[in-house]
Amino acid sequence: MAPNLQERLRTVAVMQPYIFPYLGYFQLIAKSDVFVFYDDVSFIKGGWIHSNRILAPNNGVQRFSVSLEGGQSSSRSIVDTPLSPKRDWQRKFTRTLRETYARAPHVERICGLVDGVLAHSSDSIADLACLSVRMVCEYIGLNPRFERSSNFAPETSSLDRTNRLITLTHELQGECYINLEGGRTLYKSHPFNMASLELRFLSPQLPPYSQGIKKDFTPSLSVIDALMWNQPETVREMALQGKVTT
């Protein structure tokens, strides 16, 4: 019988960095011993690398975005996508957060966390997104080993997608590679098994919580929303959920 995560395989996850991503991203981190920010791959236009969503009581779901110099371009890697030198968007965003979550119990604490991330001297969206994830993890008490593919193993960038992930996992002394459920269409177990690795997938579980309005729960928002309404210990418990399967 193949081993499972409960047998404490050294588990590696590799994922593009996103700015204050949704809770499922942190569930993947929670299942990982080593989490690699996949930051030297192409920027995904129209995706979630530089943007996410919050919930306004009167206006519903609102999308926010980090301003990029030269706009979005899939011809650049994430780590080579610079932030706009004009930082007006930072002040506007934190002001929007304070107004949107004025009734949330943790508004000042979380706005302070967001301010701390945005005020950092980051050069690229990769820097800023990685920092946002690490700061949230520190706040809620998740502590895997973090790496960035651009720093840790840039020499593997010429490999095809599957072989690069296998190589990264081996170099990190991993025994299991774990991906979000959507990766089932991209990765098959055979190449991993041939390399003496387990392949696992995480199905995120997004438990409802009070969002300060009387409407149905809105899942898959930025983790900012969960942090605004819940104690860090509660968000950590949410991050520990998620179903892992072969």
Side-chain angles (χ1 to χ4, degrees):
M1 180 180 295
N4 57 39
L5 291 181
Q6 283 67 42
E7 294 172 341
R8 295 310 304 146
L9 299 178
R10 184 172 174 84
T11 304
V12 175
V14 182
M15 184 64 62
Q16 292 95 332
Y18 299 118
I19 189 76
F20 292 109
Y22 86 124
L23 189 59
Y25 192 100
F26 293 92
Q27 292 181 349
L28 184 64
I29 291 174
K31 295 293 190 291
S32 309
D33 297 303
V34 186
F35 187 89
V36 181
F37 293 111
Y38 211 23
D39 64 346
D40 56 355
V41 295
S42 296
F43 183 94
I44 303 171
K45 292 179 65 175
W48 300 104
I49 292 168
H50 77 305
S51 66
N52 215 294
R53 307 180 306 154
I54 56 175
L55 183 63
N58 298 322
N59 299 317
V61 174
Q62 303 290 308
R63 185 160 177 154
F64 67 84
S65 297
V66 172
S67 293
L68 306 173
E69 185 175 6
Q72 303 179 52
S73 174
S74 57
S75 64
R76 298 183 297 199
S77 67
I78 302 169
V79 72
D80 291 325
T81 299
L83 301 174
S84 171
K86 298 180 180 179
R87 299 300 176 94
D88 290 346
W89 60 269
Q90 296 181 355
R91 291 188 293 274
K92 291 178 181 177
F93 179 54
T94 51
R95 184 170 64 246
T96 296
L97 283 183
R98 282 187 166 85
E99 293 171 354
T100 299
Y101 292 100
R103 293 184 297 163
H106 307 292
V107 59
E108 287 305 320
R109 188 189 303 180
I110 301 310
C111 283
L113 186 154
V114 173
D115 277 335
V117 171
L118 299 185
H120 197 268
S121 57
S122 303
D123 295 321
S124 72
I125 184 57
D127 295 339
L128 194 67
C130 290
L131 182 61
S132 77
V133 171
R134 296 182 72 153
M135 290 287 285
V136 170
C137 285
E138 181 179 339
Y139 177 73
I140 65 175
L142 296 181
N143 56 354
R145 171 182 167 185
F146 286 107
E147 297 285 354
R148 290 175 60 167
S149 58
S150 61
N151 294 332
F152 174 71
E155 72 280 358
T156 64
S157 62
S158 61
L159 298 175
D160 66 72
R161 180 167 49 202
T162 296
N163 282 317
R164 189 177 191 196
L165 294 177
I166 288 171
T167 301
L168 287 171
T169 304
H170 275 153
E171 290 191 8
L172 291 163
Q173 290 78 53
E175 300 173 80
C176 175
Y177 172 72
I178 186 170
N179 202 299
L180 288 173
E181 183 71 16
R184 286 189 184 278
T185 60
L186 300 174
Y187 308 116
K188 303 303 178 186
S189 61
H190 180 70
F192 290 86
N193 292 341
M194 290 294 292
S196 300
L197 297 174
E198 295 291 326
L199 175 63
R200 296 284 186 264
F201 296 97
L202 171 71
S203 299
Q205 308 294 312
L206 305 177
Y209 53 87
S210 173
Q211 294 175 311
I213 56 178
K214 295 182 179 179
K215 298 179 181 178
D216 292 340
F217 176 70
T218 302
S220 301
L221 300 172
S222 166
V223 70
I224 290 172
D225 189 79
L227 295 171
M228 286 288 188
W229 295 104
N230 297 280
Q231 293 282 357
E233 297 82 4
T234 303
V235 180
R236 184 178 187 278
E237 289 301 315
M238 293 177 185
L240 294 176
Q241 299 186 33
K243 184 178 180 181
V244 177
T245 57
T246 57

